[in-house]
Amino acid sequence: MSVIIRARELVKRYGHFTAVDGISFEVRPGECFGFLGPNGAGKTTTIRMITCISPVTSGSLSVDGLDVGREPRRIKALLGVVPQEDNLDPDLSVRQNLQVYSRYFDLPPDVAGERIDEALGLFQLVEKQHDRIEELSSGLKRRLTIARSLINAPKIMVLDEPTTGLDPQARHLVWQKLRYLKGQGVTMLLTSHYMEEAAYLCDRIVIMHQGKIIIEGTPGELVERYAGREVIELHLSAEEREVVVERVAELPGVTVEAVEDIIYVYVRSADGFDAASLRLEAEKVVYRRANLEDVFLLLTGRGLVE
């Protein structure tokens, strides 16, 4: 099958509010497909429909050739779900949490034991397997929640902000393990507010805004298309800002964005742009490569979304 998840004109309404507004996308087997967007964009609502938690209002949605409205039990058996919030049983130990979860899939005890051992080893939790949940740090709880999603040997992993709250070391450990699993052929759906995470893990992404998909592509393609090759940040006073914006905006191959006391110059031209020509003090100029966060902010805005 060339497509493992297919959505066509997918809509989700809650009363008069439209959370997902006619989106279409396809996920290929073995890829990591990312959903990015500000809070309220419709990412988690889309995930809830894919995981058969929330019914589709209209449109079509299939997972591994199965319709989400007709065969939710078969679809759920294929999925390993990592929710935004850890929902571990605090009265049980690490291993007992995994054992209880394995029973939901009616796994024989010997098979469950093997998979539990493998998941504990993969996420470096073997030494913690007899600890109670309340004794774990938030990072260990998050790793356990991801490990738990592997017990049924899922064909598709659904990762809803999997590294929220983790320190950099734990986040990179999780990224390494997810890359390993993708290398084993596991298809992944990822929602994240970490642009670095999406760029590192995802083969393709969509950015959602106000319930719609506004762009789709690989992280590299989208950065090149919307933000260009490099970004120059100019930290200026109010007096300097107006003059500089007027001068830079006239140059070919650049896009200019003014945000309070910073001017962002997105350079697409192969010839580049030499900020030294503006004769500014050196500490007011920052050169860096364009990245996915630039794309996200250009397309969805820099203001807070409630």
Side-chain angles (χ1 to χ4, degrees):
M1 182 181 295
S2 60
V3 175
I4 196 167
I5 299 174
R6 177 181 281 113
R8 288 286 180 268
E9 297 299 322
L10 189 62
V11 174
K12 178 63 182 182
R13 296 191 185 94
Y14 298 97
H16 297 294
F17 174 68
T18 301
V20 175
D21 192 4
I23 66 173
S24 298
F25 61 89
E26 294 181 347
V27 180
R28 302 162 189 157
E31 75 173 338
C32 182
F33 190 88
F35 292 90
L36 307 183
N39 291 332
K43 308 183 301 297
T44 295
T45 301
T46 301
I47 292 296
R48 286 172 61 84
M49 288 188 283
I50 292 171
T51 54
C52 308
I53 294 173
S54 183
V56 172
T57 301
S58 65
S60 65
L61 177 61
S62 63
V63 178
D64 201 30
L66 305 171
D67 185 272
V68 295
R70 297 175 181 174
E71 300 185 87
R73 290 179 64 87
R74 291 181 63 188
I75 289 173
K76 289 180 180 181
L78 301 172
L79 305 179
V81 180
V82 180
Q84 282 187 26
E85 302 294 334
D86 298 327
N87 54 358
L88 303 164
D89 191 327
D91 296 325
L92 302 178
S93 70
V94 168
R95 190 174 190 91
Q96 287 170 336
N97 264 271
L98 300 181
Q99 289 171 332
V100 168
Y101 192 73
S102 71
R103 294 172 191 161
Y104 297 154
F105 299 94
D106 200 26
L107 296 178
D110 57 335
V111 174
E114 290 176 3
R115 292 185 182 175
I116 289 170
D117 289 339
E118 184 178 353
L120 290 172
L122 182 63
F123 284 92
Q124 300 179 12
L125 293 167
V126 175
E127 294 182 358
K128 299 291 185 179
Q129 63 180 304
H130 300 301
D131 291 1
R132 293 171 64 87
I133 298 304
E134 61 187 13
E135 299 171 356
L136 303 181
S137 67
S138 58
L140 288 172
K141 290 177 183 176
R142 201 66 184 144
R143 280 154 56 185
L144 176 57
T145 300
I146 300 173
R148 185 186 62 181
S149 72
L150 300 177
I151 297 303
N152 61 317
K155 193 170 186 177
I156 303 167
M157 288 188 71
V158 181
L159 305 148
D160 199 358
E161 300 185 25
T163 62
T164 297
L166 297 187
D167 61 36
Q169 291 87 348
R171 184 176 301 132
H172 279 271
L173 171 65
V174 169
W175 290 354
Q176 291 169 13
K177 303 310 181 185
L178 293 177
R179 293 268 297 210
Y180 166 78
L181 291 167
K182 190 168 84 72
Q184 302 302 302
V186 178
T187 303
M188 296 183 180
L189 299 182
L190 173 76
T191 74
S192 180
H193 286 299
Y194 295 117
M195 298 300 108
E196 182 186 4
E197 178 168 272
Y200 184 80
L201 293 176
C202 294
D203 299 292
R204 291 186 299 136
I205 63 171
V206 294
I207 294 182
M208 297 186 67
H209 189 49
Q210 297 179 346
K212 296 180 178 293
I213 291 175
I214 55 177
I215 57 167
E216 177 180 340
T218 70
E221 288 171 350
L222 298 181
V223 170
E224 185 174 349
R225 187 190 316 167
Y226 291 96
R229 300 167 53 252
E230 65 177 347
V231 179
I232 303 171
E233 298 180 9
L234 308 175
H235 298 250
L236 305 174
S237 66
E239 295 77 20
E240 295 172 306
R241 194 158 56 245
E242 185 175 346
V243 174
V244 170
V245 168
E246 185 175 329
R247 289 180 60 187
V248 175
E250 296 175 348
L251 299 173
V254 303
T255 300
V256 181
E257 181 187 25
V259 182
E260 297 182 351
D261 63 336
I262 302 177
I263 294 173
Y264 296 90
V265 182
Y266 301 96
V267 182
R268 294 183 177 81
S269 171
D271 297 332
F273 161 65
D274 185 6
S277 64
L278 299 173
R279 298 185 179 180
L280 301 171
E281 297 176 20
E283 61 268 21
K284 293 185 177 183
V285 182
V286 176
Y287 293 87
R288 61 175 175 81
R289 292 185 63 84
N291 57 45
L292 196 56
E293 187 164 315
D294 294 315
V295 177
F296 183 90
L297 293 172
L298 278 167
L299 295 177
T300 65
R302 295 179 182 269
L304 293 175
V305 179
E306 297 296 334

